[in-house]
């Protein structure tokens, strides 16, 4: 047996995070258990989980401090409420039948416990560590998460401690506001007026990047730290290098021109995937987008059907979005850009669009928030429940 469990419960300085390993005494977990007890390190002294002195819990459990214990306050917290909480959680799991299929005499548990140096409230420390240990045990025995849960939740998740949210595009349709501007004062004004909405993403337009460089991404992020930001670089050459540059600038996606050679497209897409950002292929002036996508060995995350500003007097032609998605194997978002107005949103969505790219209809509006809200209302999407994505399943 070699089981792994993890759980975080609580908030503030008393938040509890347990990393748990469970396995046979005669296996690698048992060996690690023995080494931890016999090879001590300063500030990280492991301790057996006891419900009270002289009453060991079963399965035998070792509590290992994650944070270096530098003060007697920290030591007392680890050897007091944390130790008691972990031991009691294990014992209660025995009573509740959680270990019904496990021989508790032949397995051991390693519980790595986090205690923040500023934690003070013993009651919270105990309760949070009890809950985290119990949940970690359940998850280890259930082999949580399974692949289906993992792939479903990974882009919905918000890390409780990281301090900011990395937005992913898992719930289309979206409104993409294109900042095709060359005045940073205007950019700041637009960003401050745009509504906070889970279905609004921001594009650093090509003119903006040409004027100020990729450093403009950081300036946007200062005002909208949790936004999904696209760097519209329209890459035509050195695909891997420029995709990496976009990622290094903290963008969430990079735009490659569909007119670029196939090798450039593939290198940029592969590099974007490697560094964890989205790849967008802009089909401006491309006659057959589906054919371009079909021939690529690696597929982009987004295809943008783009009507040029200079040709906005022509009718909208969304193209065969179904064929484009099929050429990519089905997992693809399609964006429509170029003179998109509120009155065509429903038509674009009906044609299969996942992202509506809007520029001057919002950025040049006298009431930017109202203009953006009009488009968002047409998307007919509810805000994501951020409380749910922060809590247990």
């Amino acid at each position: 047996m070699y089981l792994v469990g993890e759980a975080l419960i609580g908030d503030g300085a008393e938040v509890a995070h347990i990393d748990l390993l469970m396995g046979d005494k005669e296996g690698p977990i048992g060996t690690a258990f023995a080494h931890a007890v016999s090879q001590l390190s300063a500030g990280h002294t492991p301790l057996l989980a006891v419900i009270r002195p002289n009453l060991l819990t079963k399965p035998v459990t070792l509590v290992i401090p994650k944070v270096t214990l530098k003060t007697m306050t920290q030591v007392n917290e680890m050897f007091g409420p944390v130790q008691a909480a972990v031991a009691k959680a294990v014992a209660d799991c025995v009573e509740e039948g959680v270990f019904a299929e496990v021989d508790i005499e032949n397995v051991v548990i390693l519980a790595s416990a986090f205690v923040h140096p500023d934690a003070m409230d013993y009651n919270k420390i105990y309760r949070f560590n009890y809950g985290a240990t119990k949940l970690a045990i359940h998850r280890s025995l259930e082999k949580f998460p399974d692949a289906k849960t993992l792939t479903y939740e990974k882009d919905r998740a918000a890390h409780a401690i990281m301090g900011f949210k990395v937005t992913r595009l898992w719930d289309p349709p979206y409104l993409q506001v294109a900042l095709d501007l060359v005045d940073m004062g205007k950019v700041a004004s637009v960003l401050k007026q745009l509504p906070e909405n889970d279905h609004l993403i921001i594009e650093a337009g090509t003119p903006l990047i040409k004027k100020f460089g990729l450093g403009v991404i950081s300036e946007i992020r200062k005002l909208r730290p949790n936004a999904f930001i696209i760097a519209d670089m329209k890459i035509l050459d050195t695909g891997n290098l420029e995709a990496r540059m976009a990622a290094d600038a903290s963008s969430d996606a990079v735009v490659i021109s569909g007119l670029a050679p196939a090798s450039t497209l593939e290198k940029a897409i592969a590099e974007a995937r490697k560094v964890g950002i989205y790849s967008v292929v802009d089909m401006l002036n491309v006659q057959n987008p589906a054919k371009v996508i079909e021939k690529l060995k690696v597929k982009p995350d987004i295809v943008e059907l783009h009507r040029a500003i200079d040709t906005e007097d022509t009718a909208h032609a969304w193209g065969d979005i179904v064929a484009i998605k099929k050429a990519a194997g089905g997992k693809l978002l399609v964006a429509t850009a170029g003179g998109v107005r509120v009155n065509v949103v429903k038509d674009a969505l009906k044609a299969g669009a996942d992202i509506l790219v809007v520029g001057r209809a919002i950025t040049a509006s006298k009431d930017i928030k109202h203009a953006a809200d009009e488009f968002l209302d047409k998307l007919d999407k509810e805000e994501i429940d951020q409380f749910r994505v922060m809590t247990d399943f």
Side-chain angles (χ1 to χ4, degrees):
M1 177 192 294
Y2 193 127
L3 300 177
V4 180
E6 175 272 345
L8 182 146
I9 285 182
D11 53 26
E14 288 75 23
V15 67
H17 186 237
I18 296 290
D19 294 326
L20 184 141
L21 298 177
M22 187 189 314
D24 300 317
K25 287 182 178 178
E26 303 301 324
I29 304 299
T31 300
F33 187 104
H35 285 169
V37 172
S38 60
Q39 299 178 15
L40 308 182
S41 61
H44 293 273
T45 303
L47 54 152
L48 288 170
V50 297
I51 297 167
R52 60 170 172 75
N54 301 313
L55 183 59
L56 195 68
T57 198
K58 291 288 182 75
V60 179
T61 301
L62 195 66
V63 183
I64 304 170
K66 292 184 187 181
V67 178
T68 303
L69 306 182
K70 296 181 179 180
T71 67
M72 283 308 299
T73 297
Q74 291 175 281
V75 171
N76 287 336
E77 289 169 346
M78 185 61 63
F79 281 76
V82 174
Q83 182 189 44
V86 172
K88 186 64 160 52
V90 174
D92 282 351
C93 283
V94 173
E95 182 181 32
E96 294 162 12
V98 175
F99 295 111
E101 305 299 322
V102 175
D103 183 350
I104 64 171
E105 295 298 335
N106 286 323
V107 302
V108 292
I109 295 173
L110 301 176
S112 183
F114 169 84
V115 176
H116 195 284
D118 294 336
M120 297 293 292
D121 189 324
Y122 271 38
N123 196 298
K124 285 186 176 181
I125 293 172
Y126 174 87
R127 292 177 186 278
F128 292 162
N129 276 277
Y130 173 91
T133 301
K134 210 168 185 185
L135 183 55
I137 290 169
H138 277 274
R139 287 176 170 174
S140 69
L141 291 166
E142 295 165 3
K143 299 181 180 177
F144 175 89
D146 58 25
K148 183 178 179 181
T149 301
L150 179 64
T151 54
Y152 181 82
E153 293 288 344
K154 67 181 180 65
D155 293 333
R156 294 161 170 79
H159 196 284
I161 295 176
M162 187 167 69
F164 65 95
K165 179 179 67 175
V166 177
T167 301
R168 308 297 282 174
L169 306 182
W170 59 270
D171 189 31
Y174 290 91
L175 170 65
Q176 178 176 322
V177 179
L179 302 178
D180 290 316
L181 307 168
V182 292
D183 182 323
M184 282 305 298
K186 178 63 175 176
V187 169
S189 176
V190 171
L191 291 173
K192 289 175 182 177
Q193 294 180 69
L194 286 175
E196 293 286 346
N197 191 289
D198 293 311
H199 291 86
L200 186 148
I201 60 185
I202 295 169
E203 173 197 321
T206 309
L208 185 63
I209 292 174
K210 284 186 175 181
K211 180 73 179 287
F212 298 104
L214 281 169
V216 77
I217 304 293
S218 296
E219 296 304 312
I220 294 172
R221 202 165 289 289
K222 287 178 184 178
L223 294 171
R224 305 294 289 242
N226 296 324
F228 187 97
I229 303 174
I230 297 175
D232 188 4
M233 296 172 68
K234 291 189 176 67
I235 297 170
L236 281 164
D237 197 7
T238 60
N240 54 340
L241 172 62
E242 295 195 27
R244 173 75 63 155
M245 289 167 59
D248 289 346
S250 84
S251 65
D252 296 289
V254 63
V255 179
I256 315 134
S257 172
L259 297 172
S263 60
T264 298
L265 285 164
E266 289 171 351
K267 287 178 181 179
I269 294 167
E271 189 69 22
R273 187 172 299 170
K274 186 188 301 182
V275 295
I277 67 174
Y278 283 62
S279 55
V280 184
V281 176
D282 188 330
M283 294 299 182
L284 180 65
N285 289 335
V286 175
Q287 295 301 313
N288 192 335
K291 189 174 181 180
V292 171
I293 299 302
E294 185 178 10
K295 289 183 176 180
L296 292 176
K297 295 176 184 176
V298 289
K299 311 299 184 183
D301 300 294
I302 302 170
V303 165
E304 183 172 319
L305 301 178
H306 195 164
R307 185 179 65 166
I309 289 176
D310 295 337
T311 62
E312 283 184 4
D313 56 340
T314 62
H316 282 282
W318 309 123
D320 192 343
I321 293 177
V322 174
I324 294 169
K325 291 186 176 183
K326 183 178 179 181
K331 191 175 182 181
L332 179 80
L333 297 176
V334 173
T336 59
V340 175
R341 301 292 186 265
V342 171
N343 65 305
V344 301
V345 169
K346 291 298 183 183
D347 290 338
L349 296 177
K350 187 176 180 180
D354 303 292
I355 302 171
L356 280 299
V357 184
V358 181
R360 290 166 298 159
I362 292 175
T363 61
S365 172
K366 292 181 180 179
D367 188 337
I368 289 171
K369 183 180 185 303
H370 175 72
D373 281 335
E374 280 193 304
F375 281 96
L376 290 167
D377 287 344
K378 292 290 184 181
L379 299 185
D380 195 27
K381 292 293 293 188
E382 292 185 2
E383 291 260 42
I384 300 164
D385 183 354
Q386 291 299 335
F387 181 75
R388 186 205 70 79
V389 302
M390 289 281 287
T391 55
D392 193 30
F393 301 88

